[in-house]
Amino acid sequence: MRAVVQRVGGAKVVVAGETVGEITGEGLCVLVGVTHDDTPEKADRLARKLWGLRILGEERSCSDTGVPLLVVSQFTLYGDARKGRRPTWQAAAPGPVAEPLVEEVCARLRALGARVETGRFGAKMEVSLTNDGPFTVLLEV
């Protein structure tokens, strides 16, 4: 699993004009990609890493502060554009594999005590955010 984690001052996801997930104020916006060999155990590791990642102000984490996370599935994190001009998506897991694992990340975060907002899997989403810093970290588990 891969994640692009951004410290934000607010973020939201809109689908067909409807806001489906939103955090206001400090939090993390997390774009999650799934590949073919990912497992629920990897989803758990990613959730624990996100919960304890000390990238908020004063080197604090979501577990320290209780700030929310907006988790958005993004298969394009496994795009490969090393050859040619058109990326391939072969490393990205298909929807029936990826969707339950992204949901598992969210469920594990909630079990840890996190407030989690989400996008809508497979939808054309408009993600907007205010990157605080800017501060962006890439994670892979």
Side-chain angles (χ1 to χ4, degrees), residues 22-106:
E22 182 173 19
I23 58 175
T24 57
E26 186 179 34
L28 297 180
C29 181
V30 183
L31 307 176
V32 177
V34 178
T35 193
H36 300 279
D37 64 353
D38 285 336
T39 63
E41 292 75 25
K42 285 186 179 182
D44 182 59
R45 280 202 316 257
L46 180 58
R48 290 180 185 283
K49 184 74 167 180
L50 292 167
W51 185 236
L53 193 62
R54 297 185 168 280
I55 63 170
L56 298 170
E58 300 176 13
E59 295 187 8
R60 294 175 299 154
S61 67
C62 291
S63 66
D64 297 327
T65 62
V67 302
L69 300 94
L70 175 62
V71 177
V72 180
S73 65
Q74 189 169 359
F75 77 93
T76 61
L77 293 182
Y78 278 101
D80 184 352
R82 290 178 286 183
K83 292 184 179 180
R85 296 179 298 149
R86 189 175 305 144
T88 66
W89 314 111
Q90 294 172 349
V97 173
E99 185 174 13
L101 290 172
V102 173
E103 289 175 0
E104 185 70 17
V105 170
C106 295

